[in-house]
């Protein structure tokens, strides 16, 4: 008997922690259970061929909003070529809608609902050892002849019982490492599935430290914690942050999702001592409109959140990623405009402008009609309109999102934006206007090179604003050379021939590497860009204003 755990990830660099947990927990069936990871960008024929050739008697798919349509199509075709194979599904995209999923997918034998480690082990005992019946397995919905039966959800397990899954790191080369030190969430945000699981569970700290040391010893580039609110238990967060500070290997970066307004002085004092790039924080703000915050059952102190973000920002050693969600109840275009400006002025390293996804099983799904929320029928069930936000406004926000992603989140226009945004009415208006320009010119549907993005921005300034193009182009030139030594000078760069001799003399006298660049700007400043010394957070070149000899 051969059992296949199949994951279809969004990208090759991702890995599926869930299927590795299932396999690790059922290590007593290691000879019978094997695991394969695919991506939704692979040709389906490749995957069909691989699964067909595997000889699996049972195939279990891990299902999420990014792969469910892909998985459905795979299963329908697999059932035709493997009529004797049993197909099972698990994961959040099928757990909260198991009966409907089985009704729509007659090819599927059953669904593992919710937490799957113990349930999967019971399923192995049934298939491999012939133990018991499907009717006795807690945590599944399954097909019984013409009937669909649901055995109810299983009791939540002790997180420390799950074995460590990364002993063979070679399997994860060039891929993101995901790690879980807790499950559940103390908050009740109506758009989030984590709010359903109110029983917070933490992995034993001694286990966590041992496993973190394994990552540190192997110099893993990044470990991404999947804990929903990492700092919801102060002692747990503090112990982990203290450990990685004391055992920093100078290489590994740790990513955490935190609630900034829960950060304590003790935690921030610890963060201030960390190596630049040791940790990065993802902070969900979602909205600064108080009526919206109340409606989504979110609890946060916005004033404290802003103070904490500002203090962490002052350390200059931690990348902060702040999130907003458009399409929430009571949030119209104007209030979102304010929310955007409120978050933008906090100066996050990245500002993620997302759109509400009405997930199966969430309270927001139940309240969608109450709030007039219309969303796409197909995953990821993204909002189309609400009582407060018509579809036309959603489209305008999509344009803003695109401009923020290209110009702000890329980090490639930092000094340009610091010059331009204060000249606009406000930050939101700047990106809104730039997005409208892209739409008007037909640029929004085309893929552009980095250089072309600079040229379009200059075109926008010339046609839509009174901003000095000369000053702006100098800022752009500075940003361009911060990232790389250009093979070809941009069209808007001033001629440097008059400075060639002075630059050569300086290079020779100071033994400047050939990989470095020296640029003389129109205000007379000569700047050295050293690409061998980069900022660990921004990856920008080290810069130094130098004195050239006339």
């Amino acid at each position: 008997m051969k059992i296949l755990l199949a994951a279809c990830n969004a990208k090759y660099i991702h890995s599926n922690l869930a299927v590795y947990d299932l396999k690790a927990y059922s290590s007593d069936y290691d000879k019978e259970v094997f695991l394969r990871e695919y991506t939704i960008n692979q040709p389906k024929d490749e995957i069909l061929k691989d699964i067909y050739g595997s000889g699996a008697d049972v195939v279990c798919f891990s299902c999420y909003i990014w792969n469910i349509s892909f998985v459905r199509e795979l299963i329908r075709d697999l059932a035709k070529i493997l009529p004797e194979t049993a197909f099972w599904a698990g994961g959040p995209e099928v757990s909260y809608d198991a009966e409907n999923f089985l009704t729509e997918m007659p090819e599927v034998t059953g669904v593992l609902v919710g937490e799957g480690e113990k349930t999967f082990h019971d399923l192995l005992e049934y298939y491999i050892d012939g133990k018991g019946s499907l009717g006795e397995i807690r945590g599944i919905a399954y097909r019984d002849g013409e009937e669909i039966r649901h055995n109810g959800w299983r009791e939540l397990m002790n997180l420390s019982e799950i074995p460590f899954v990364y002993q063979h790191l070679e399997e994860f080369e060039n891929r993101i490492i995901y790690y879980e030190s807790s499950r559940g969430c103390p908050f009740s945000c109506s758009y989030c599935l984590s709010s359903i699981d109110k029983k917070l569970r933490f992995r034993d700290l001694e286990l966590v430290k041992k496993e973190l040391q394994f990552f540190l010893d192997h110099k893993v580039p990044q470990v991404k914690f999947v804990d929903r609110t990492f700092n919801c238990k102060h002692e747990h967060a503090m112990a982990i942050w203290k450990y990685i500070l004391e055992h920093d290997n100078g290489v590994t970066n740790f990513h955490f999702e935190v609630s900034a307004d829960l950060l304590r002085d003790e935690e921030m004092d610890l963060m201030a001592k960390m190596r630049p790039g040791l940790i990065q924080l993802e902070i969900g703000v979602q909205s600064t409109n108080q009526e919206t915050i109340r409606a989504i059952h979110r609890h946060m102190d916005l004033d404290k959140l802003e103070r904490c973000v500002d203090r962490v920002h002052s350390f200059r050693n931690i990348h902060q990623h702040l999130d907003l969600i458009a399409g929430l109840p009571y949030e119209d275009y104007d209030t979102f405009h304010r929310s955007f400006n409120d978050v933008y002025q906090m100066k996050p390293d990245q500002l993620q402008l997302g759109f509400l996804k009405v997930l199966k099983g969430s309270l927001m799904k139940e309240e969608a009609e109450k709030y007039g929320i219309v969303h796409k029928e197909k995953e990821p069930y993204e909002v189309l309109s609400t009582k407060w936000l018509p579809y036309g406004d959603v489209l305008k926000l999509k344009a803003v999102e695109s401009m923020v992603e290209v110009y702000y989140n890329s980090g490639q226009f930092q000094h340009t934006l610091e010059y331009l945004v204060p000249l606009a009415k406000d930050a939101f208006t700047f990106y809104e206007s730039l997005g409208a320009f892209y739409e008007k010119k037909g640029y929004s549907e085309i893929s552009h090179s980095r250089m072309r993005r600079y040229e379009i921005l200059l075109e926008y300034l010339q046609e839509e604003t009174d901003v000095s193009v000369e000053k702006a182009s100098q800022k752009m030139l500075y940003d361009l050379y911060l990232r790389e030594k250009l093979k070809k000078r941009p069209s808007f760069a001033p001629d440097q021939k008059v400075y060639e001799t002075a630059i050569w003399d300086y290079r020779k006298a100071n033994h400047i590497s050939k990989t470095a660049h020296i640029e003389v700007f129109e205000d007379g400043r000569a700047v050295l860009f050293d690409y061998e010394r980069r900022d660990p957070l921004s990856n920008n070149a080290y810069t130094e204003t130098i004195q050239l000899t006339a």
Side-chain angles (χ1 to χ4, degrees):
M1 177 69 72
K2 296 177 74 175
I3 315 291
L4 170 62
L5 285 165
C8 296
N9 302 324
K11 296 179 182 178
Y12 172 76
I13 61 167
H14 298 162
S15 56
N16 186 307
L17 179 58
V19 292
Y20 283 96
D21 277 347
L22 296 186
K23 189 174 189 308
Y25 189 78
S26 294
S27 59
D28 50 330
Y29 289 102
D30 217 31
K31 292 180 180 178
E32 292 84 3
V33 177
F34 62 106
L35 186 154
R36 298 280 170 83
E37 288 189 278
Y38 311 102
T39 81
I40 59 174
N41 301 307
Q42 270 182 270
K44 291 191 182 70
D45 283 345
E46 279 186 14
I47 302 174
L48 290 175
K49 178 183 177 181
D50 189 66
I51 294 177
Y52 178 81
S54 73
D57 301 288
V58 181
V59 180
C60 305
F61 280 96
S62 180
C63 302
Y64 298 87
I65 56 174
W66 61 80
N67 71 7
I68 186 62
S69 288
F70 191 85
V71 168
R72 283 175 182 264
E73 291 179 30
L74 279 177
I75 291 175
R76 285 176 178 138
D77 287 338
L78 284 166
K80 295 171 185 175
I81 58 177
L82 295 170
E84 302 303 315
T85 301
F87 295 97
W88 285 76
E93 189 54 25
V94 293
S95 286
Y96 301 98
D97 198 26
E99 293 97 336
N100 283 338
F101 179 76
L102 289 171
T103 300
E104 295 167 3
M105 294 288 295
E107 302 86 357
V108 177
T109 301
V111 172
L112 285 74
V113 296
E115 203 165 70
E117 286 87 0
K118 289 186 176 181
T119 303
F120 180 67
H121 191 273
D122 286 354
L123 209 58
L124 295 181
E125 290 180 340
Y126 167 76
Y127 276 111
I128 297 169
D129 299 333
K131 180 180 177 181
S133 66
L134 292 179
E136 298 174 85
I137 299 177
R138 194 82 169 160
I140 65 169
Y142 67 101
R143 201 176 304 283
D144 183 11
E146 297 299 313
E147 301 293 320
I148 292 174
R149 305 192 186 281
H150 198 304
N151 294 348
W153 291 57
R154 183 182 289 272
E155 285 296 311
L156 300 177
M157 68 182 295
N158 179 345
L159 199 56
S160 298
E161 293 177 13
I162 301 174
F164 185 59
V165 305
Y166 293 111
Q167 294 293 351
H168 301 288
L169 264 179
E170 64 275 7
E171 298 175 9
F172 301 91
E173 191 174 356
N174 300 318
R175 301 170 75 188
I176 298 172
I177 297 291
Y178 295 99
Y179 184 78
E180 183 178 42
S181 77
S182 68
R183 281 185 186 172
C185 183
F187 303 113
S188 304
C189 304
S190 61
Y191 53 84
C192 181
L193 291 179
S194 297
S195 64
I196 296 170
D197 181 0
K198 303 305 296 181
K199 187 178 178 182
L200 260 170
R201 291 153 291 151
F202 297 88
R203 193 165 177 82
D204 180 77
L205 275 170
E206 292 310 307
L207 263 181
V208 172
K209 290 175 183 178
K210 179 182 176 183
E211 291 159 359
L212 292 181
Q213 192 58 52
F214 178 86
F215 295 137
L216 291 163
D217 290 343
H218 288 81
K219 290 184 164 52
V220 171
Q222 185 181 60
V223 177
K224 209 164 186 181
F225 277 67
V226 296
D227 305 41
R228 297 314 302 162
T229 306
F230 176 76
N231 62 324
C232 61
K233 183 179 179 182
H234 171 70
E235 295 77 11
H236 181 82
M238 195 66 185
I240 291 173
W241 281 333
K242 188 175 181 181
Y243 188 87
I244 63 176
L245 171 62
E246 292 173 351
H247 296 81
D248 180 18
N249 62 10
V251 175
T252 305
N253 161 267
F254 295 89
H255 176 103
F256 303 94
E257 290 187 35
V258 302
S259 182
D261 59 317
L262 294 182
L263 290 173
R264 302 184 185 180
D265 288 338
E266 184 184 9
E267 290 166 322
M268 288 188 284
D269 288 343
L270 195 69
M271 288 178 186
K273 301 173 185 175
M274 291 179 174
R275 162 180 61 86
L278 175 58
I279 72 168
Q280 61 190 63
L281 304 178
E282 184 168 348
I283 299 164
V285 182
Q286 320 314 9
S287 173
T288 63
N289 181 31
Q290 290 297 334
E291 197 170 10
T292 298
I293 295 298
R294 286 192 294 271
I296 61 177
H297 308 289
R298 189 164 174 77
H299 302 284
M300 64 178 177
D301 182 335
L302 284 169
D303 290 335
K304 186 180 178 187
L305 182 148
E306 184 173 356
R307 290 196 303 273
C308 290
V309 167
D310 185 60
R311 185 174 172 193
V312 172
H313 182 72
S314 73
F315 302 155
R316 307 295 181 193
N317 64 347
I318 296 171
H319 178 104
Q320 293 187 96
H321 179 149
L322 271 57
D323 297 340
L324 282 172
I325 297 178
L328 294 171
Y330 300 103
E331 188 89 272
D332 60 21
Y333 194 80
D334 290 336
T335 61
F336 189 84
H337 181 143
R338 288 195 292 273
S339 289
F340 182 96
N341 286 335
D342 288 341
V343 173
Y344 193 89
Q345 61 89 26
M346 295 182 201
K347 299 180 180 178
D349 296 281
Q350 287 203 345
L351 197 172
Q352 184 67 46
L353 198 171
F355 290 80
L356 175 66
K357 294 170 179 61
V358 185
L359 304 176
K360 294 174 182 177
S362 68
L363 178 60
M364 189 63 73
K365 176 70 174 175
E366 296 175 20
E367 295 182 331
E369 188 175 346
K370 169 184 171 183
Y371 294 125
I373 296 174
V374 178
H375 61 84
K376 293 179 180 178
E377 284 301 308
K378 189 177 177 182
E379 72 288 342
Y381 317 112
E382 193 172 89
V383 65
L384 291 168
S385 65
T386 72
K387 282 183 180 179
W388 303 271
L389 198 69
Y391 182 59
D393 286 349
V394 170
L395 291 178
K396 288 196 289 183
L397 290 178
K398 288 278 186 181
V400 172
E401 175 200 26
S402 177
M403 295 300 97
V404 170
E405 195 64 29
V406 167
Y407 287 100
Y408 187 85
N409 290 343
S410 69
Q412 297 173 358
F413 301 81
Q414 179 186 343
H415 296 84
T416 306
L417 293 175
E418 286 175 358
Y419 171 66
L420 293 177
V421 172
L423 299 176
K425 179 184 176 184
D426 55 46
F428 182 88
T429 302
F430 172 80
Y431 293 103
E432 176 189 50
S433 176
L434 184 56
F437 180 76
Y438 263 71
E439 293 286 338
K440 183 176 77 173
K441 290 286 189 173
Y443 295 151
S444 56
E445 307 303 319
I446 306 170
S447 178
H448 301 285
S449 68
R450 180 186 172 205
M451 189 64 73
R452 181 66 184 131
R453 295 289 188 184
Y454 282 92
E455 292 169 352
I456 292 173
L457 184 53
L458 277 176
E459 186 182 339
Y460 161 75
L461 295 175
Q462 287 172 330
E463 296 186 19
E464 303 289 334
T465 75
D466 297 323
V467 173
S468 167
V469 173
E470 289 73 22
K471 287 184 179 179
S473 64
Q474 289 290 289
K475 300 292 184 182
M476 292 181 190
L477 194 63
Y478 190 88
D479 281 329
L480 275 164
Y481 279 113
L482 268 178
R483 284 302 174 94
E484 61 182 321
K485 186 175 182 179
L486 302 171
K487 294 179 181 178
K488 181 182 178 182
R489 288 182 67 76
S491 58
F492 52 83
D495 192 350
Q496 296 277 286
K497 285 184 180 179
V498 68
Y499 304 110
E500 282 181 356
T501 301
I503 290 173
W504 171 252
D505 290 343
Y506 183 89
R507 280 184 176 279
K508 189 175 180 181
N510 294 278
H511 308 289
I512 302 299
S513 167
K514 290 181 180 179
T515 61
H517 175 72
I518 296 174
E519 181 75 18
V520 182
F521 292 88
E522 290 194 343
D523 61 3
R525 281 185 312 131
V527 178
L528 169 69
F529 296 85
D530 187 344
Y531 304 105
E532 294 177 5
R533 289 190 288 169
R534 289 183 179 270
D535 185 303
L537 289 185
S538 66
N539 202 39
N540 287 337
Y542 167 81
T543 61
E544 181 182 343
T545 300
I546 61 175
Q547 190 67 45
L548 298 179
T549 304

